[in-house]
DNA sequence: ATGAAAGCGCTAACAA
DNA sequence: TTGTTAGCGCTTTCAT
């Protein structure tokens, strides 16, 4: 910038004003400076600028990974929502700093924000970190979490209506004439917990008693989930339906059921969750609970922006709906 | 930092030295400073630090989106490789700045690097920007592109062996007894171009003449591709196999073929490309060309690091292999 | 082992 | 309309 100033025969302030579109500069001066900048292939140093301005238009997006399963979260849902968030952020002129952190060291995620790399944090998946998150909120860290709304929650969440999702899926299975409905998902995660409550309620509404033996707490990581799922369906031949907490898990269930010699959907109905591309193209095409990914991304960013503007933001629960496809078709006759 | 210095009764220089692990500080002083920092919940301001040091450990990753199809690239392959890159970068202590830019304004992508937000650029998809990319390379911008190696290429690419992929898939279809093999993909993209050359070669090797009428140049965006694919298979009932350039396109082809009353794989064999989760769980499970995503991410980052270290980096082509599943099974008998 | 001081590239009073 | 100046938070000579 100093070079340009010298070459244009003006001061750096003037150059700064030009490059920032200040209305206080002479048209002729501006032209000269802009030309010079272009020809020197100069662009303003944003690091210095945001340092000086103490301003920051970068949002950190953190996707925790599961150390238990010793492998990264490849669930298409997480990747998809990250893509959607990237679009929303881009549209609003924000940068997105993406990182993955060990789900057991979530505090690491905050460093970026504390250290001034980002102005706020979007956490994709609340995992089992309710307390840590509450602490953050208490420290007024601008953070919005994709997840479930919990009692005594100080932080802001945006999430799908998990209770409704579980209810919808299970009720649908019951209406298809099923009675022994297995539940696949780790209820230590709040979202899964709520889905299970919906599942329970649908059962009770139909006069059925939830059976703990039919609940299999598996991780979202398909590699880790495969063996337990196979063992489960080999052992539980009385199962006539499955409510899985992700499309991938549902597909794994189908696979295991078929390996155990059971036919889907004729003998066993299966529902997935999320409604990713996989579900539509799966074998069979999955009946699944649709989560509104694009709206979710928009809502997450909105919430963070409000928070940054100093407003207090209430948790938001987005509606979900059931998409009926082949995997839950009632056997005809 | 000034606060800490005052409270510890030392100078800011000393505090700086402590926090950066300099060996020149008294153990007792260090202890006091570190304690203070912890209790004040202080972390160093990275913006200021990297500004001062003129250093930057952020890599920009850009996923172009296609404006033609008026919609964002949701192809699972792109999202998956982004996730893998995030992991690699995290492991090496780099941050990842993710953005999406209009494929027709790729120059925008560079701004971030030029402006000092990032120290280098990873571009996922070279699209039709060979010339632009060459220009960048000439300007010594540290950029590595996921894509195909082209003649007279000045920039560094890392990519799968597209020629081999096209050859492998097509040869497999021919061995399954197919003769009228359609090709789905937009050959304006270099990667697709190479796959088509492989496809042509396999045909010629078998004494078959490539038929331009069987090539359908569709976008990777499934929404944009659906209608042309349906029209194509409704019109070309002589087709007995399909080599698609992504798993999603392959599944769309299956869908269209079935809608046109043709059975897959009994009557028509189909191969996909990429080997995403979708392929394994699809209807039917897809025979597809496996792309080594994790290795690719590693290689992309490696290449960029070497480049940053001032080395000249040669383009790299990663081996691919065919995964045979149900969609190409030869009709028995 | 520690402190004083300069300066990274930029912006915003304030003065002219 | 433009220039002068101070300073954002940090690191790093150079003294001490």
């Amino acid at each position: 910038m100093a070079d340009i100033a010298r070459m244009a025969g003006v001061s750096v302030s003037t150059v700064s004003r030009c490059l920032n579109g200040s209305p206080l500069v002479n048209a002729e001066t501006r032209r000269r400076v802009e030309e010079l900048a272009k020809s020197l292939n100069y662009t303003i140093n944003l690091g210095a600028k945001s340092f000086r301005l103490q301003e920051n238009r970068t949002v950190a997006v953190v996707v925790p990974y599961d150390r238990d399963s010793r492998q990264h979260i490849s669930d298409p849902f997480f990747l998809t929502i990250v893509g959607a968030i990237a679009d929303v952020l881009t549209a609003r002129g924000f940068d997105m700093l993406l990182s993955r952190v060990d789900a057991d060291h979530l505090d690491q995620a905050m460093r970026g924000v504390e250290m001034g790399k980002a102005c706020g944090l979007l956490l994709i998946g609340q995992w089992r970190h309710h307390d840590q998150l509450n602490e953050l909120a208490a420290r007024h860290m601008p953070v919005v979490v994709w997840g479930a709304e919990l009692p005594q929650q100080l932080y802001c969440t945006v999430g799908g209506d998990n209770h409704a999702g579980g209810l919808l899926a299970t009720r649908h299975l019951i209406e298809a004439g099923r009675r022994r409905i297995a539940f696949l998902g780790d209820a230590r995660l709040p979202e899964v917990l709520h889905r299970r409550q919906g599942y329970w309620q649908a059962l009770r509404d139909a006069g059925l008693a939830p059976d703990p033996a039919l609940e299999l707490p598996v991780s979202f990581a398909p590699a880790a989930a495969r063996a337990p799922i196979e063992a489960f369906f080999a052992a539980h031949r009385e199962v006539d339906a499955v409510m899985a907490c992700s499309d991938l898990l549902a597909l794994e269930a189908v696979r295991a059921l078929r390996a155990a010699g059971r036919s889907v959907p004729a003998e066993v109905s299966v529902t997935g969750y999320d409604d990713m591309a996989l579900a539509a193209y799966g074998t069979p095409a999955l009946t699944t609970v649709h989560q509104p990914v694009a709206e979710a991304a928009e809502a997450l960013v909105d919430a963070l922006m409000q928070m940054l503007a100093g407003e207090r933001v209430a948790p938001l629960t987005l509606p979900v709906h059931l998409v009926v496809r082949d995997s839950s078709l009632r056997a005809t006759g």
Side-chain angles (χ1 to χ4, degrees), chain A:
Chain A
M1 195 180 256
D3 293 351
I4 301 212
R6 201 172 336 101
M7 300 177 70
V10 296
S11 73
V12 288
S13 342
T14 305
V15 176
S16 171
R17 285 194 267 258
C18 286
L19 268 25
N20 287 292
S22 155
L24 310 87
V25 292
N26 183 306
E28 162 61 14
T29 314
R30 148 161 296 137
R31 202 190 50 68
R32 234 182 30 255
V33 169
E34 280 173 352
E35 208 157 89
L36 227 27
K38 180 149 296 174
S39 81
L40 292 186
N41 218 293
Y42 168 88
T43 54
I44 216 159
N45 180 327
L46 285 183
K49 177 176 182 151
S50 59
F51 168 54
R52 170 63 231 247
L53 262 20
Q54 305 274 86
E55 149 235 85
N56 193 320
R57 287 182 74 80
T58 299
V59 171
V61 174
V62 173
V63 184
Y65 61 79
D66 189 358
R67 217 178 33 168
D68 286 3
S69 60
R70 264 346 213 145
Q71 92 150 52
H72 298 153
I73 290 166
S74 52
D75 196 286
F77 180 74
F78 290 93
L79 259 15
T80 305
I81 200 164
V82 165
I85 292 172
D87 286 334
V88 175
L89 252 17
T90 300
R92 304 204 189 183
F94 278 77
D95 290 321
M96 165 169 169
L97 197 57
L98 179 64
S99 48
R100 311 271 241 138
V101 313
D102 186 326
D104 291 332
H105 292 282
L106 254 200
D107 42 310
Q108 261 201 330
M110 320 312 165
R111 309 293 311 282
V113 180
E114 282 176 345
M115 291 176 133
K117 282 192 207 195
C119 58
L121 179 66
L122 256 25
L123 187 61
I124 310 304
Q126 90 205 100
W127 296 83
R128 314 188 275 281
H129 298 283
H130 188 59
D131 297 336
Q132 269 185 66
L133 292 171
N134 264 341
E135 234 176 77
L136 283 179
R139 286 204 268 136
H140 297 105
M141 151 111 30
V143 47
V144 181
V145 180
W146 170 262
E149 190 177 342
L150 257 26
Q152 270 133 48
Q153 161 180 306
L154 302 172
Y155 54 96
C156 174
T157 48
V158 170
D161 189 337
N162 293 294
H163 184 93
L167 183 74
L168 251 27
T170 310
R171 184 190 289 159
H172 172 77
L173 291 169
I174 293 170
E175 283 168 359
R178 306 308 188 180
R179 290 295 173 270
R180 306 288 297 161
I181 305 174
F183 179 90
L184 262 48
D186 181 352
R188 288 178 303 174
L189 308 181
E191 303 185 64
V192 173
L193 184 72
H194 287 180
R195 292 175 198 176
R196 192 176 61 177
Q197 285 164 356
Y199 156 82
W200 283 342
Q201 184 179 328
L203 290 176
R204 282 192 303 262
D205 288 353
L208 300 168
D211 178 356
L214 296 187
E215 294 171 10
L216 181 66
V218 283
S219 142
F220 279 127
R226 177 163 296 183
I229 289 178
E230 273 175 6
F232 179 83
F233 287 114
H236 292 271
R237 308 198 55 93
E238 77 277 20
V239 163
D240 61 8
V242 180
M243 182 203 150
C245 279
S246 84
D247 293 331
L248 227 34
L249 288 181
L251 259 5
E252 283 291 349
V254 170
R255 188 194 162 93
L257 283 163
R258 291 184 170 171
R262 320 222 28 215
S263 81
V264 180
E267 237 182 293
V268 187
S269 294
V270 176
T271 59
Y273 211 104
D274 294 340
D275 193 23
M276 299 286 96
L278 247 109
Y281 293 109
T283 323
L286 284 179
T287 293
T288 188
V289 176
H290 177 85
Q291 299 227 65
V293 174
E295 292 84 339
E298 197 85 37
L300 283 163
V301 174
D302 271 341
L304 188 60
M305 297 295 125
Q306 285 175 248
M307 201 169 283
L308 257 16
E311 300 169 41
R312 220 190 147 330
V313 189
L316 180 64
T317 299
L318 269 15
V320 298
H321 65 265
L322 191 73
V323 178
V324 178
R325 298 203 183 88
D326 305 338
S327 67
S328 64
L329 253 32
R330 155 185 247 136
T332 37

